[in-house]
């Protein structure tokens, strides 16, 4: 496998009024071209920060040390930084962060296709409709004309995914993109993402707190804690033979359909 | 007497010339200290029902009784006073707060608006609330957009419990949290329920979580109640088509434990 991006000694520090938060500390690993890589780890461990750093979306006030080298096919070996929207599709943790509240859903998706694929507006809208069908949004015709607030949480998240993949990016970064979706749609989106990776040769960086879902989707899993990369390995190895105690703690905390109800730990009612 | 009784609740939306019934003749009740979960696929009407119960939107039909009174008839100061008893935590914490507001400000607001603590007492109360939800006190001066998603959701819970409510509506409140924090938050919710007999209307698409935390569950499909009953019984052996499909599609973690 060849690397799509090489992350070397990456440290990210947020600064504000003299206080500092070290969100990532000396992170080194490669994102392989065409792989499905999941990032898991507790809240505040730096997952979103890593995603933002890779996408070049961190604010200017943030101190970034180390570097990320890109190997994008289109730039024939030159280490040119990727362009957000064209080379990288990004789905944010909060759907409201991905979508503009005053622009119709159709226009937002069409805009990506228009800007990066050079399609005419009518072609772009046709493409937008196709994408809404691809992410299984019910009634895509009416959704095209809807504003984000007229959609449910899960519907908004599907629109954000459609916009992120509109230009056929090399890398799709999905930050908790499916947390707000029901299991049926989630399974469909997971299948869609698998198809996109397989058919379009896309690379996937999938951030999720849902270990079962990450395990289902990813070939490799990276575990983060306190801004550090705890371990990185093949999915089966991480799930069945984690080398780090912390990974085991995370696995044990998973609440599956067979988990002992928390309610039983003491009568609440009556 | 039930804490919350909803009967025949109906809400229609029009979009692109079509009418969509987001809540269709929905009836249920919530007892003090009880967790009732609303589950169902995306777009089935869960958030619509939450917003109706909170009176963030008005229904096209039906009744809502809360703490023994006609909740839909309340207005002005009576409604504001009653709202202290009915709090919410949403799916989307960035949208719920002004992102530039500080954590301290977000917690100060309900204490001030509902006259719960004097100005002098409020910093101590804020520190206690942060501690109650497992956040460090030094987070207080940070802006909401400067903390992680999980930290933000804990701030939202701290704000919800600030006014000592009898019912909290939680709309996908733990969906974006990692498993360890989610476990802690669920434990926290259960502790608060035991201590203060708070009832929860708990909206989630995560059936594992619903099964772990709820007493009863209602499964919604296209704005209607498809099935309801004891949370474990419904999720272990769903009878409705939508219940079966949701359970079948849930991802499972198959571990070979040594
Ligand atoms: N803009 C910011 N300014 C200051 N600190 C920040 C900012 N954004 C994040 N942080 C801090 O950096 C750390 C890492 O945050 P990050 O959002 O990357 O975590 P995460 O792993 O994505 O968590 P979650 O699962 O809760 O989304 C946290 O301690 C957080 O409070
Ligand atoms: N303001 C609105 N205008 C028009 N349609 C709306 C509006 N709000 C919600 N809807 C529609 O009503 C239906 C129910 O939406 P609701 O947000 O209640 O779903 P939900 O069960 O919470 O879904 P999710 O799990 O995706 O959050 C959806 O089809 C949605 O598109
Ligand atoms: Mg995050
Ligand atoms: Mg919703």
């Amino acid at each position: 496998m060849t690397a799509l991006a090489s992350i070397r000694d990456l440290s990210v520090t947020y600064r504000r009024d003299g206080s500092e938060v070290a969100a990532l500390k000396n992170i080194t690993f490669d994102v392989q071209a065409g792989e499905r890589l999941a990032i898991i780890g507790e809240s505040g461990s730096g997952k979103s920060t890593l995603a933002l750093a890779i996408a070049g979306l961190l604010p200017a006030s943030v101190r970034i040390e180390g570097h990320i080298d890109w190997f994008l096919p289109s730039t024939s070996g030159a280490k040119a930084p990727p362009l957000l929207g064209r080379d990288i599709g990004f789905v944010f943790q909060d759907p409201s962060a991905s979508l503009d509240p005053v622009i119709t859903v159709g226009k937002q998706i069409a805009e990506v296709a228009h800007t990066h694929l050079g399609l005419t507006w009518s072609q772009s809208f046709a493409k937008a409709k196709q994408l809404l069908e691809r992410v299984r949004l019910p009634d895509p015709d009416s959704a095209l004309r809807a504003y984000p607030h007229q959609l449910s949480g899960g519907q908004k998240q599907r629109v954000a995914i459609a916009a992120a993949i509109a230009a056929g990016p090399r890398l799709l970064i999905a930050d908790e993109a499916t947390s707000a979706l029901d299991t049926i749609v989630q399974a469909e989106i997971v299948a869609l993402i698998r198809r996109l990776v397989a058919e379009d040769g896309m690379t996937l960086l999938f951030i999720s707190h849902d270990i079962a879902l990450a395990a289902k989707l990813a070939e490799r899993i990276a575990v983060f804690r306190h801004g550090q990369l705890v371990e990185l390995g093949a999915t089966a190895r991480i799930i069945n033979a984690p080398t780090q105690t912390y990974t085991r703690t995370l696995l044990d905390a998973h609440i599956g359909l067979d988990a002992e109800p928390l309610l039983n730990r003491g009568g609440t009612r009556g | 007497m039930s804490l919350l009784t909803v009967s025949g609740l109906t809400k229609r939306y029009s979009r692109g010339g079509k009418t969509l019934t987001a809540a269709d003749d929905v009836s249920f009740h919530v007892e003090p200290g009880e967790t009732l979960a609303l589950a169902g696929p995306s777009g089935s009407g869960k958030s619509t029902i939450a917003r109706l119960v909170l009176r963030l939107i008005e229904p096209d039909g039906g009744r809502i009784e809360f703490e023994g009174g006609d909740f839909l008839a309340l207005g002005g100061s009576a409604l504001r006073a009653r709202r202290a008893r009915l709090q919410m935590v949403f799916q989307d914490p960035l949208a719920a707060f002004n992102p530039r507001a500080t954590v301290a400000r977000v917690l100060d607001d309900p204490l001030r608006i509902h006259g719960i603590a004097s100005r002098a007492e409020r910093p101590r109360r804020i520190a206690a609330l942060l501690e109650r939800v497992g956040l460090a006190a030094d987070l207080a001066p940070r802006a909401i957009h400067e903390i992680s998603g999980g930290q933000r959701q804990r701030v939202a819970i701290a704000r919800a419990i600030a006014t000592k409510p009898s019912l909290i509506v939680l709309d996908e409140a733990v969906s974006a949290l990692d498993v360890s924090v989610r476990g802690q938050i669920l434990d926290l919710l259960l502790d608060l329920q035991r201590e203060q007999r708070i009832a929860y209307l708990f909206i989630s698409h995560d059936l594992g979580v619903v099964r772990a935390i709820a007493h009863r569950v209602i499964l919604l499909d296209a704005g209607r109640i498809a099935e309801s009953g004891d949370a474990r019984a419904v999720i272990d052996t769903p009878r409705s088509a939508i219940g079966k499909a949701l359970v079948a599609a849930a991802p499972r973690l198959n571990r070979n434990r040594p």
Side-chain angles (χ1 to χ4, degrees), chain A residues 27 33 38 121 166 180 183 196 227 241:
Chain A
I27 304 300
W121 275 111
T183 53
L196 288 169

Side-chain angles (χ1 to χ4, degrees), chain B residues 72-93:
Chain B
L72 292 175
L74 293 181
S77 59
L79 177 61
R80 271 197 301 280
R82 186 64 67 184
R83 278 218 162 114
R85 306 281 298 154
L86 175 48
Q87 287 294 333
M88 65 201 100
V89 178
F90 284 129
Q91 186 163 352
D92 202 345

Side-chain angles (χ1 to χ4, degrees), chain A residues 16 42-43 94 139 142 151 158 179-183 209 240 251-252 257 259 261-263 265 268-269, chain B residues 15 18 34 41-42 91-92 94 141 146 148 150 175 177-178 187 205 211-215 232 246 255-256:
Chain A
R16 182 186 165 277
E42 67 193 17
S43 183
D94 257 322
D139 199 358
S142 120
L151 300 177
R158 276 177 276 177
S179 320
L181 302 177
D182 67 76
T183 53
H209 63 272
N240 295 316
L251 289 166
D252 291 341
L257 287 180
L262 298 170
L263 271 179
R265 300 218 295 256
T268 31
R269 206 172 27 167
Chain B
R15 203 180 71 195
K18 281 187 219 165
E34 178 189 41
S42 176
Q91 186 163 352
D92 202 345
L94 254 192
E146 291 174 332
S148 81
S175 307
L177 302 181
D178 72 84
D187 279 339
H205 64 272
R211 190 179 171 282
I213 196 182
H215 298 97
R232 253 188 296 167
L246 286 168
R255 293 168 74 185
N256 309 320

Side-chain angles (χ1 to χ4, degrees), chain A residues 97-252:
Chain A
S98 303
L99 302 174
D100 189 325
V102 297
I103 300 178
T104 63
V105 157
K107 177 101 194 279
Q108 296 194 48
I109 302 171
E111 190 128 40
V112 181
H114 179 68
T115 310
H116 296 296
L117 300 178
L119 302 181
T120 66
W121 275 111
S122 80
Q123 288 169 329
S124 300
F125 273 96
K127 172 100 187 169
K129 188 182 163 195
Q130 225 177 50
L131 286 161
L132 288 183
E133 281 162 0
R134 232 175 154 184
V135 296
R136 306 277 196 272
L137 203 72
D139 199 358
D141 278 312
S142 120
L144 278 177
R145 276 172 279 132
Y147 290 91
H149 79 270
Q150 296 179 310
L151 300 177
S152 79
Q155 290 165 349
K156 266 187 275 197
Q157 200 56 293
R158 276 177 276 177
V159 169
I161 293 171
I165 61 176
R170 304 305 308 165
L171 175 65
L172 177 65
I173 301 178
D175 189 353
E176 302 284 6
T178 60
S179 320
L181 302 177
D182 67 76
T183 53
I184 301 169
V185 175
Q186 199 177 62
E188 283 170 4
I189 297 282
V190 164
L192 167 71
I193 290 177
R194 277 176 172 283
R195 267 204 315 282
L196 288 169
V197 175
E199 291 166 13
D200 307 0
M202 207 164 70
T203 304
L204 175 71
L205 196 66
F206 185 78
I207 296 171
S208 179
H209 63 272
D210 187 334
I211 295 174
L213 190 66
K216 194 166 136 189
L217 184 57
E219 295 150 315
R220 294 202 301 161
I221 295 182
V223 183
F224 275 75
R225 188 188 198 196
H226 300 327
Q228 285 170 317
L229 178 58
V230 172
E231 70 178 307
L232 169 63
T235 298
R237 213 271 294 147
I238 297 283
I239 302 297
N240 295 316
T243 59
Q244 303 299 311
T245 322
Y246 176 65
T247 308
R248 214 165 299 129
T249 313
L250 268 186
L251 289 166
D252 291 341

